[in-house]
Amino acid sequence: MIFTQSKLDRCISCGYCLPHCPTYQITKKEENSPRGRITLMRAVQNETLPAQSLLPETKFCLGCRACEPVCPAGVEYGVLLEEARNHLWQGKNRPFIVRGLFLLLKFLKVKNQFRKNRDSQSNKYLMLGCFEQLVAPQAAKDLAKIDPTISITKSQGCCGALHAHNGELETGKEMAAKLGLDLPGNIVTTSAGCASHLASVIGKDRVIEFSQYWSERTSDLTPIMRNGRNIRIGFQDSCHGRNGLGIFKEPREILKKLGEYVEVPGAADCCGAAGTYSLINKKNSRKVLAPKIDNLKELDLDYLVTINPGCTRQLKSELKRNRIKTEVVHLASLVALSKSLSV
């Protein structure tokens, strides 16, 4: 069997997920919704349809999991999508870009910015990430700077999130378990997407995303000024942070200490990055992001803050393409800026 039957059985086909699904909002077609995809999964499981009939939907779906918090039956749609890709994204069915990324991780050792280990005699370890070190390394560097009590093991491996989401489910789980052994205490990360995957394998009690970690450390934060006024700050939720880990209040409470916080309309909606999605499916990625771009043009923000490196990369490139001057930064970097002003 391709799917965990008990997880398929949970769906009651109520349709509560439809208004929250980005791809359904684009097409208004049932098969492009979580409910429609689960119907296809059941048909494949029952051998009514061939598994290949599900392949296009595994590529069109972002995997944002926006359907999960609103589901009254508690369907774990993200798990079902991973199981579908694990079966289908093999050989020539695996997107070419994903194959390239796997080869990069296999044969190239991603160089991180830390030259030596740091043993802070604490039970807290900084997770460095793999592609985070390529696309958005500043966040981990800033966290290491503002909190010297976190230990750093520079030779650590990948958490396996990329693999789990892209057709190598068991490999992704094994990599997460190994990282949990290599970093034996609490693991603090500046990547909400990695945090969600890692927590699903080694437990939420051991994994702490940055905004969760810093939400109890806001007493010494100083508002950041620009041209004699508090900076205007917006926030983009991480899909796996919000829908997978329930992260919502923590980053917003921190940002309110740093300047004038402005809630971005649709902040909880996917930015279209969705792991490898923006690389595989750029056209639809931009369709998903388009309403948010229109809103950001009107808000005149100084900073748009993220807690996930994929979101950072996506929003930086797309805001630049649309000539929006708002600067995209990770929350850890804005906290570091605030703390530097109070020294």
Side-chain angles (χ1 to χ4, degrees):
M1 292 201 308
I2 299 172
F3 303 102
T4 303
Q5 189 62 47
S6 61
K7 297 188 185 300
L8 272 183
D9 291 342
R10 290 194 72 89
C11 179
I12 57 176
S13 301
C14 65
Y16 279 30
C17 56
L18 270 61
H20 301 273
C21 176
T23 54
Y24 179 76
Q25 292 307 310
I26 291 174
T27 69
K28 299 299 183 181
K29 293 181 179 179
E30 176 71 16
E31 63 266 30
N32 303 143
S33 72
R35 181 175 67 180
R37 290 172 181 133
I38 289 175
T39 299
L40 289 173
M41 290 174 186
R42 285 170 168 165
V44 168
Q45 186 91 324
N46 296 333
E47 299 183 351
T48 305
L49 289 176
Q52 285 292 114
S53 64
L54 186 57
L55 181 61
E57 287 306 316
T58 66
K59 294 181 178 180
F60 188 32
C61 177
L62 291 106
C64 67
R65 298 170 62 183
C67 50
E68 292 188 22
V70 298
C71 177
V75 174
E76 296 177 78
Y77 176 81
V79 174
L80 293 171
L81 178 65
E82 288 180 348
E83 291 178 342
R85 289 178 175 175
N86 187 62
H87 181 79
L88 288 166
W89 285 24
Q90 305 300 326
K92 65 180 182 180
N93 284 341
R94 179 168 293 161
F96 179 77
I97 289 175
V98 173
R99 282 181 269 166
L101 292 175
F102 282 175
L103 286 172
L104 179 65
L105 280 181
K106 183 176 181 180
F107 294 110
L108 291 180
K109 184 176 177 62
V110 179
K111 184 178 180 182
N112 69 62
Q113 59 198 307
F114 298 96
R115 296 183 178 181
K116 59 183 180 179
N117 294 335
R118 183 170 80 186
D119 185 359
S120 299
Q121 300 297 311
S122 72
N123 198 39
K124 300 175 295 185
Y125 291 83
L126 175 60
M127 185 184 123
L128 305 180
C130 48
F131 279 99
E132 180 178 1
Q133 292 298 308
L134 290 175
V135 302
Q138 191 62 40
K141 183 178 179 180
D142 285 331
L143 174 52
K145 180 180 179 180
I146 62 180
D147 190 352
T149 69
I150 294 182
S151 295
I152 300 171
T153 302
K154 70 183 190 71
S155 61
Q156 62 187 260
C158 174
C159 75
L162 177 71
H163 298 74
H165 299 329
N166 291 278
E168 293 287 349
L169 182 55
E170 293 308 314
T171 298
K173 290 179 179 179
E174 290 168 4
M175 295 173 81
K178 184 179 185 304
L179 183 61
L181 294 174
D182 293 341
L183 306 179
N186 291 320
I187 300 174
V188 184
T189 173
T190 49
S191 172
C194 294
S196 179
H197 169 67
L198 191 59
S200 72
V201 178
I202 68 172
K204 290 184 178 181
D205 58 319
R206 287 196 54 204
V207 182
I208 313 171
E209 181 275 325
F210 174 75
S211 70
Q212 295 174 313
Y213 181 67
W214 210 262
S215 62
E216 299 178 357
R217 296 168 171 80
T218 60
S219 59
D220 62 345
L221 292 180
T222 300
I224 302 168
M225 306 291 289
R226 176 174 288 182
N227 299 326
R229 59 169 176 79
N230 286 349
I231 57 170
R232 286 171 55 83
I233 318 167
F235 179 66
Q236 167 62 39
D237 284 288
S238 156
C239 291
H240 281 242
R242 180 163 179 164
N243 303 324
L245 295 174
I247 296 169
F248 175 77
K249 292 182 179 179
E250 297 92 339
R252 288 167 169 80
E253 290 304 315
I254 295 171
L255 290 174
K256 289 173 184 177
K257 299 274 189 177
L258 300 178
E260 179 190 351
Y261 177 71
V262 180
E263 182 70 17
V264 176
D269 298 338
C270 185
C271 70
T276 58
Y277 191 88
S278 61
L279 303 175
I280 298 169
N281 205 338
K282 186 176 288 292
K283 182 178 179 180
N284 285 316
S285 171
R286 286 175 173 168
K287 285 183 180 180
V288 168
L289 180 59
K292 198 182 306 287
I293 290 293
D294 291 338
N295 288 326
L296 290 170
K297 287 178 180 178
E298 302 296 324
L299 291 179
D300 191 27
L301 300 174
D302 295 301
Y303 292 99
L304 179 63
V305 177
T306 73
I307 55 173
N308 193 62
C311 303
T312 304
R313 181 197 61 78
Q314 166 86 338
L315 291 165
K316 275 187 175 182
S317 64
E318 291 302 307
L319 263 63
K320 182 178 180 181
R321 192 174 75 89
N322 285 275
R323 299 182 180 179
I324 300 175
K325 294 182 178 180
T326 299
E327 184 176 351
V328 180
V329 297
H330 191 282
L331 179 59
S333 297
L334 209 59
V335 168
L337 176 59
S338 170
K339 288 181 71 64
S340 71
L341 297 175
S342 62
V343 174

